[in-house]
Amino acid sequence: MRAGSLYRGRRRPGEVFLGAAVYGAAYFAVFLLLGIVGYVFFRGFRGLSIRFFLSVTSSLKGTAGIAGNMVNTVYLILLTLAGAVPVGVGAAVWLNEYAGNGILVRLLEFTLDTLAGIPSVIFGLFGMVLFGEVMGLGYSLLSGALTLAWMVLPLIVKNTRAALRAVPESYRQGALGMGAGKWDLVRTILLPSAGNGILTGIILSVGRITGESAALIFTAGSARILPRPAAGIRDWPARLGGKILESGGSLAVELYLQMQNGEYDTAFSIGCVLVFMVFLTNFLVKQVCGSEG
C-alpha cells in the first residue's frame, strides 16, 4: 500500500498531462452529446404531437406531419434488409468458411473496404443511373432500397465475419468429428452461435438506413403521400406492394427539405424523432452485445 502511494506521488508531469487530456476529451464528448441532444429537443419537442405523427405535410392544407415519411422509412428499412441481409450473411459465410485465403478473398476484402468508404452521394448517383434509368424504376422506394442495400452490405458482411470468427474452434472440430458435413456445421452450429453478432450488424444497418438522406434524394425522391386506401381487405396487399414503385421521402430527407424551406421548427421536431431512433438503435446494440457477453 505504501509502495502504491509512493508510486502515485512520483507521477511525472507528462503522465499528469496525458491523464488530464484523456479525462478532458471524455467529458467534452459527453457535454457535446448533451448539448446537441438538448438543443434539438429544446427546439423541436414542442412540435411533437399526435397530429404531427398522424398527418402529412401539406402547404395547401397548412398541416405539418411525418406520417408519410415514417411509412416510407419503414418500407426502406424492410426492403433494404430483405436484399442486403441474405447476400451479406451468405457472402460472410462463404468468405469465412469456404473461400480460404486466396487472391479472390483478398480482392473481395479490399472491395468491401472500398465500398464502406465511398460517400453516400456517389451511391445515390450510381443508383439513379442503374436502378432509376437503366432498370426503369425511376424515383421509387425500391430504387432507394436497392441503393441502400449496396451501402449497408459491407457493414453486414464485416459484422457477420467477426461473429463467425468469435465462435470457438472446438465447436467446428467437435461437429466435424461427429461426422457433420460443412453445411450442417454452418447451419446448426456456426450461424446460431454467431446470431447475436449478426443481429448487431443488422441493427447498425437499420441505424444507417434511417439516417441516410443524400443517396435517397437521387433515388427514392421526396414524396410524402401515404398508401392509397383500399376498397377492401383483399386490395390492401396490392396497394401496399404497389407503393414500392412510387416515390417516397424518408424522415432524413424530409428534415433536409424542411430546413431548405426555412421550416426550422418542423425540422427540429423531425430531428427529435431521429435522435430517439438513434438512441433506440444504440440501446438494442448494447442489449444484444450484453446478452452475447
Side-chain angles (χ1 to χ4, degrees), residues 17-29:
F17 174 77
L18 181 60
V22 170
Y23 278 101
Y27 285 122
F28 176 75

Side-chain angles (χ1 to χ4, degrees), residues 137-159:
L137 297 177
Y139 286 98
S140 64
L141 292 173
L142 182 58
S143 179
L146 291 173
T147 304
L148 291 178
W150 282 103
M151 293 180 59
V152 302
L153 190 62
L155 184 60
I156 295 176
V157 172
K158 287 180 177 294
N159 278 273

Side-chain angles (χ1 to χ4, degrees), residues 17-260:
F17 174 77
L18 181 60
V22 170
Y23 278 101
Y27 285 122
F28 176 75
V30 173
F31 287 130
L32 183 62
L33 173 63
L34 293 177
I36 294 175
V37 173
Y39 184 75
V40 170
F41 273 88
F42 174 77
R43 289 289 305 271
F45 187 78
R46 290 171 294 182
L48 298 179
S49 63
I50 300 298
R51 183 179 180 183
F52 182 75
F53 286 100
L54 297 181
S55 61
V56 177
T57 298
S58 173
S59 57
L60 297 177
K61 298 179 180 179
T63 58
I66 57 173
N69 303 109
M70 292 180 65
V71 172
N72 294 334
T73 302
V74 172
Y75 265 94
L76 289 170
I77 291 174
L78 296 178
L79 291 173
T80 301
L81 294 182
V85 172
V87 176
V89 174
V93 170
W94 182 80
L95 288 171
N96 204 68
E97 303 297 328
Y98 292 93
N101 296 313
I103 297 177
L104 179 60
V105 174
R106 293 195 294 270
L107 179 61
L108 289 175
E109 290 176 345
F110 175 77
T111 302
L112 290 172
D113 293 336
T114 304
L115 283 175
I118 293 178
S120 58
V121 66
I122 303 299
F123 279 102
L125 292 173
F126 169 79
M128 179 182 67
V129 174
L130 177 61
F131 304 121
E133 297 181 4
V134 176
M135 296 181 61
L137 297 177
Y139 286 98
S140 64
L141 292 173
L142 182 58
S143 179
L146 291 173
T147 304
L148 291 178
W150 282 103
M151 293 180 59
V152 302
L153 190 62
L155 184 60
I156 295 176
V157 172
K158 287 180 177 294
N159 278 273
T160 302
R161 292 194 69 188
L164 292 172
R165 289 171 179 171
V167 177
E169 188 64 26
S170 60
Y171 288 16
R172 294 178 173 86
Q173 296 175 356
L176 294 176
M178 295 178 64
K182 191 70 173 180
W183 171 240
D184 293 327
L185 168 65
V186 171
R187 180 174 55 87
T188 61
I189 303 297
L190 297 183
L191 288 179
S193 300
N196 286 338
I198 298 173
L199 183 59
T200 299
I202 294 174
I203 295 174
L204 292 174
S205 300
V206 171
R208 181 166 187 185
I209 295 168
T210 303
E212 183 56 47
S213 60
L216 294 177
I217 292 176
F218 293 104
T219 54
S222 58
R224 309 177 177 110
I225 57 176
L226 288 164
R228 293 186 298 273
I233 297 178
R234 295 181 179 180
D235 296 334
W236 272 112
R239 291 294 175 89
L240 294 176
K243 185 169 174 58
I244 67 176
L245 298 177
E246 300 175 358
S247 174
S250 66
L251 287 170
V253 171
E254 182 65 18
L255 187 151
Y256 167 76
L257 294 176
Q258 293 294 337
M259 288 293 294
Q260 192 177 44

